[in-house]
Amino acid sequence: SAPRGSGGSTGRPIAFISNMMLGNVTVFDPATQKAEGEVVMPRVGARLPFPGPLAALPDGSKVYVANLNSESLVAIDVASRSAGARIPLQQVPQEMAVTPDGRLLFVANDGSAVIVVDSERDAEVGRIEVGAPSAGAAMAPDGSQAWFSTAEGV
């Protein structure tokens, strides 16, 4: 399912859908089944944006998009429906898991450590060694554990 956020002043649920080949993220209204607009992803140098997996904060204020061509995340402000902070990672991001309080994002990637991002500062705050590139990510409902799939298992 696509990450959802609050519709800003309308309060309607909205969904965000990555368009890898177009380099943007579609804002979609599930109630009307129509696209309401798009969020243009920033270019990094000569690299075209290539948005991939998304993760939303539980309060619906931000959606994070993995920008696969620039080894970074982009924070989308849901209220303004615009790209905000670009978070450099130095690894190709994959799936993300968000803590229930929305404070931390755990980012699977093509390196040997999961990247930890602080959602208030929109900055990397640490790495957790997992020994192999990771792809999938899941968070326990109470936030006590996060799991990541690697070529070596979970």
Side-chain angles (χ1 to χ4, degrees):
S1 67
R4 297 179 184 275
S6 167
S9 62
T10 66
R12 290 188 335 261
I14 55 174
F16 293 83
I17 304 166
S18 282
N19 296 312
M20 289 182 174
M21 303 314 285
L22 298 176
N24 64 29
V25 175
T26 296
V27 180
F28 184 80
D29 183 338
T32 63
Q33 296 289 299
K34 294 186 181 192
E36 292 191 342
E38 63 183 45
V39 178
V40 177
M41 300 293 291
R43 287 179 77 137
V44 177
R47 296 178 183 172
L48 294 173
F50 196 68
L54 303 110
L57 295 185
D59 68 2
S61 63
K62 291 183 194 174
V63 172
Y64 289 87
V65 184
N67 192 345
L68 307 177
N69 274 356
S70 68
E71 298 180 337
S72 64
L73 297 180
V74 174
I76 294 175
D77 177 77
V78 171
S80 68
R81 299 180 185 186
S82 62
R86 181 183 159 272
I87 306 162
L89 302 176
Q90 309 308 315
Q91 303 292 155
V92 177
Q94 302 295 328
E95 295 292 329
M96 296 164 266
V98 181
T99 56
D101 64 4
R103 195 170 109 336
L104 298 174
L105 228 70
F106 294 87
V107 185
N109 62 79
D110 67 345
S112 65
V114 170
I115 299 169
V116 183
V117 171
D118 179 317
S119 68
E120 290 179 11
R121 297 186 350 218
D122 284 334
E124 179 180 332
V125 294
R127 293 185 178 231
I128 301 168
E129 187 63 39
V130 294
S134 52
M139 178 67 59
D142 66 1
S144 64
Q145 294 182 338
W147 302 278
F148 301 90
S149 62
T150 71
E152 298 172 4
V154 177

Coordinates of all heavy atoms in Angstrom, one line a residue, residues 67-110:
N67 N 15.6 8.2 -2.9 CA 16.0 8.6 -4.2 C 17.2 7.8 -4.6 O 18.3 8.0 -4.2 CB 16.4 10.1 -4.2 CG 16.5 10.7 -5.6 OD1 16.6 9.9 -6.6 ND2 16.5 12.0 -5.7
L68 N 16.9 6.8 -5.4 CA 17.9 5.7 -5.7 C 19.1 6.2 -6.5 O 20.2 5.7 -6.3 CB 17.2 4.6 -6.5 CG 15.9 4.0 -5.8 CD1 15.3 2.9 -6.6 CD2 16.2 3.5 -4.4
N69 N 18.9 7.2 -7.3 CA 20.1 7.7 -8.1 C 21.0 8.6 -7.4 O 22.1 8.8 -7.8 CB 19.6 8.4 -9.4 CG 19.3 7.5 -10.5 OD1 19.5 6.3 -10.5 ND2 18.8 8.1 -11.6
S70 N 20.6 9.1 -6.3 CA 21.4 10.1 -5.6 C 21.8 9.6 -4.2 O 22.3 10.4 -3.4 CB 20.7 11.4 -5.5 OG 19.6 11.4 -4.6
E71 N 21.6 8.3 -3.8 CA 21.9 7.8 -2.5 C 21.5 8.7 -1.4 O 22.2 9.1 -0.5 CB 23.4 7.6 -2.5 CG 24.0 6.6 -3.5 CD 25.4 6.4 -3.4 OE1 26.2 7.2 -2.9 OE2 25.9 5.3 -3.9
S72 N 20.2 9.0 -1.5 CA 19.6 9.9 -0.5 C 18.1 9.7 -0.2 O 17.5 8.9 -1.0 CB 19.8 11.4 -0.9 OG 19.0 11.6 -2.1
L73 N 17.6 10.3 0.8 CA 16.2 10.3 1.0 C 15.7 11.8 0.8 O 16.5 12.7 1.0 CB 15.8 10.0 2.5 CG 16.1 8.6 3.0 CD1 15.7 8.5 4.5 CD2 15.5 7.5 2.2
V74 N 14.4 11.9 0.4 CA 13.8 13.2 0.3 C 12.6 13.2 1.2 O 11.8 12.3 1.2 CB 13.4 13.6 -1.1 CG1 12.7 14.9 -1.2 CG2 14.7 13.6 -2.0
A75 N 12.5 14.2 2.1 CA 11.4 14.4 3.0 C 10.3 15.2 2.3 O 10.6 16.4 1.9 CB 11.8 15.0 4.3
I76 N 9.1 14.7 2.1 CA 8.0 15.4 1.5 C 7.2 16.0 2.6 O 6.7 15.2 3.5 CB 7.1 14.5 0.6 CG1 7.9 14.1 -0.7 CG2 5.9 15.3 0.2 CD1 7.2 13.1 -1.5
D77 N 6.9 17.3 2.6 CA 6.0 17.9 3.5 C 4.6 17.7 3.0 O 4.3 18.1 1.9 CB 6.3 19.4 3.7 CG 5.3 20.1 4.6 OD1 5.5 19.9 5.8 OD2 4.4 20.7 4.1
V78 N 3.8 16.9 3.8 CA 2.5 16.5 3.3 C 1.6 17.7 3.2 O 0.8 17.8 2.2 CB 1.9 15.4 4.2 CG1 0.4 15.1 3.8 CG2 2.7 14.1 4.1
A79 N 1.6 18.6 4.1 CA 0.7 19.8 4.1 C 0.9 20.6 2.8 O -0.1 21.0 2.1 CB 0.8 20.6 5.3
S80 N 2.2 20.9 2.5 CA 2.4 21.7 1.3 C 2.6 20.9 0.0 O 2.7 21.4 -1.1 CB 3.7 22.6 1.5 OG 4.9 21.7 1.6
R81 N 2.7 19.6 0.2 CA 2.9 18.6 -0.9 C 4.1 19.0 -1.8 O 4.1 19.1 -3.0 CB 1.7 18.6 -1.8 CG 0.5 18.1 -1.0 CD -0.7 18.0 -1.8 NE -1.9 17.6 -0.9 CZ -3.1 17.3 -1.4 NH1 -3.3 17.4 -2.6 NH2 -4.0 17.0 -0.5
S82 N 5.2 19.3 -1.0 CA 6.5 19.7 -1.7 C 7.6 19.0 -1.1 O 7.6 18.6 0.1 CB 6.7 21.2 -1.6 OG 6.8 21.6 -0.2
A83 N 8.7 18.8 -1.9 CA 9.9 18.2 -1.5 C 10.6 19.1 -0.5 O 10.8 20.3 -0.8 CB 10.8 17.8 -2.7
G84 N 11.0 18.6 0.6 CA 11.8 19.4 1.6 C 13.2 18.9 1.7 O 13.9 18.9 0.6
A85 N 13.6 18.6 2.8 CA 15.0 18.2 3.1 C 15.5 17.0 2.3 O 14.7 16.1 2.1 CB 15.2 17.9 4.6
R86 N 16.7 17.1 1.8 CA 17.4 16.0 1.1 C 18.4 15.5 2.1 O 19.2 16.2 2.7 CB 18.1 16.4 -0.2 CG 18.8 15.3 -0.8 CD 19.5 15.8 -2.1 NE 20.5 14.8 -2.4 CZ 21.8 14.7 -1.9 NH1 22.2 15.6 -1.1 NH2 22.6 13.8 -2.3
I87 N 18.3 14.2 2.4 CA 19.2 13.6 3.4 C 20.2 12.7 2.7 O 19.8 11.6 2.3 CB 18.3 12.8 4.4 CG1 17.2 13.7 5.0 CG2 19.2 12.2 5.5 CD1 16.1 12.9 5.7
P88 N 21.4 13.1 2.6 CA 22.5 12.2 2.0 C 22.8 11.0 2.8 O 22.9 11.1 4.0 CB 23.7 13.2 1.8 CG 23.4 14.3 2.7 CD 22.0 14.4 3.1
L89 N 22.9 9.9 2.2 CA 23.2 8.6 2.9 C 24.5 7.9 2.5 O 25.0 7.1 3.2 CB 22.0 7.6 2.7 CG 20.6 8.1 3.1 CD1 19.6 7.1 2.7 CD2 20.6 8.4 4.6
Q90 N 25.0 8.2 1.3 CA 26.2 7.6 0.8 C 26.0 6.1 0.5 O 26.9 5.3 0.4 CB 27.4 7.7 1.7 CG 27.7 9.2 2.1 CD 27.8 10.1 1.0 OE1 28.4 9.9 0.0 NE2 27.1 11.3 1.1
Q91 N 24.7 5.6 0.5 CA 24.3 4.3 0.2 C 23.0 4.4 -0.6 O 22.3 5.3 -0.4 CB 24.1 3.4 1.4 CG 25.3 3.3 2.3 CD 26.5 2.5 1.8 OE1 27.6 2.7 2.2 NE2 26.3 1.7 0.8
V92 N 22.7 3.4 -1.4 CA 21.4 3.4 -2.1 C 20.3 2.9 -1.1 O 20.4 1.7 -0.7 CB 21.5 2.5 -3.4 CG1 20.1 2.4 -4.0 CG2 22.5 2.9 -4.3
P93 N 19.4 3.8 -0.8 CA 18.3 3.4 0.1 C 17.3 2.4 -0.5 O 17.1 2.4 -1.7 CB 17.6 4.7 0.5 CG 17.9 5.6 -0.7 CD 19.2 5.1 -1.3
Q94 N 16.8 1.5 0.4 CA 15.8 0.6 0.0 C 14.5 0.8 0.9 O 14.1 2.0 1.1 CB 16.3 -0.8 0.1 CG 17.6 -1.1 -0.7 CD 17.3 -1.0 -2.2 OE1 16.2 -1.4 -2.7 NE2 18.3 -0.6 -2.9
E95 N 14.0 -0.2 1.4 CA 12.8 -0.1 2.3 C 13.1 0.6 3.6 O 14.3 0.6 4.0 CB 12.2 -1.5 2.6 CG 11.6 -2.2 1.4 CD 10.4 -1.5 0.8 OE1 9.6 -0.9 1.5 OE2 10.2 -1.6 -0.5
M96 N 12.1 1.2 4.2 CA 12.3 1.9 5.5 C 11.3 1.4 6.5 O 10.2 1.0 6.2 CB 12.1 3.4 5.3 CG 13.1 4.0 4.4 SD 12.6 5.7 3.8 CE 11.8 5.2 2.2
A97 N 11.7 1.5 7.8 CA 10.8 1.2 8.9 C 10.8 2.4 9.8 O 11.9 3.0 10.1 CB 11.3 -0.1 9.7
V98 N 9.6 2.8 10.3 CA 9.5 4.0 11.1 C 9.0 3.6 12.5 O 8.1 2.7 12.7 CB 8.4 4.9 10.5 CG1 8.2 6.2 11.3 CG2 8.7 5.3 9.1
T99 N 9.6 4.2 13.5 CA 9.1 3.9 14.9 C 7.7 4.4 15.1 O 7.3 5.4 14.4 CB 10.1 4.5 16.0 OG1 10.2 5.9 15.7 CG2 11.5 3.9 15.9
P100 N 6.9 3.8 16.0 CA 5.5 4.2 16.2 C 5.4 5.7 16.6 O 4.4 6.3 16.2 CB 5.0 3.3 17.3 CG 5.9 2.1 17.2 CD 7.3 2.6 16.8
D101 N 6.4 6.2 17.3 CA 6.3 7.7 17.6 C 6.8 8.6 16.5 O 6.7 9.8 16.6 CB 7.1 8.0 18.9 CG 8.6 7.7 18.8 OD1 9.1 7.4 17.7 OD2 9.3 7.8 19.8
G102 N 7.3 8.0 15.4 CA 7.7 8.7 14.2 C 9.0 9.4 14.4 O 9.5 10.2 13.5
R103 N 9.7 9.2 15.5 CA 11.0 9.9 15.7 C 12.1 9.4 14.9 O 13.0 10.2 14.4 CB 11.3 9.8 17.2 CG 12.4 10.8 17.6 CD 12.5 10.8 19.1 NE 13.5 10.4 19.9 CZ 14.5 9.5 19.8 NH1 14.7 8.9 19.1 NH2 15.4 9.1 20.4
L104 N 12.2 8.1 14.6 CA 13.3 7.5 13.9 C 12.8 6.7 12.7 O 11.8 6.1 12.7 CB 14.1 6.6 14.8 CG 14.8 7.2 16.0 CD1 15.4 6.1 16.9 CD2 15.8 8.2 15.6
L105 N 13.7 6.8 11.7 CA 13.5 6.0 10.5 C 14.7 5.0 10.4 O 15.8 5.5 10.5 CB 13.6 6.9 9.3 CG 12.6 6.9 8.2 CD1 11.3 7.4 8.7 CD2 13.0 7.8 7.1
F106 N 14.5 3.8 10.1 CA 15.6 2.8 9.9 C 15.6 2.5 8.4 O 14.6 2.0 7.8 CB 15.4 1.6 10.7 CG 15.5 1.9 12.2 CD1 14.4 2.3 12.9 CD2 16.7 1.7 12.8 CE1 14.5 2.6 14.3 CE2 16.8 2.0 14.2 CZ 15.7 2.4 14.9
V107 N 16.7 2.7 7.7 CA 16.8 2.6 6.2 C 17.6 1.5 5.8 O 18.8 1.5 6.0 CB 17.3 4.0 5.6 CG1 17.3 3.9 4.1 CG2 16.6 5.2 6.2
A108 N 17.0 0.5 5.2 CA 17.8 -0.6 4.6 C 18.5 0.0 3.3 O 18.0 0.9 2.7 CB 16.8 -1.8 4.2
N109 N 19.6 -0.6 3.0 CA 20.4 -0.1 1.9 C 21.4 -1.1 1.3 O 21.5 -2.2 1.8 CB 21.1 1.2 2.3 CG 22.1 1.0 3.4 OD1 23.2 0.5 3.2 ND2 21.7 1.2 4.7
D110 N 22.2 -0.6 0.3 CA 23.1 -1.6 -0.3 C 24.4 -1.7 0.4 O 25.4 -2.3 -0.1 CB 23.3 -1.2 -1.8 CG 24.0 0.2 -1.9 OD1 24.1 0.9 -1.0 OD2 24.5 0.4 -3.1

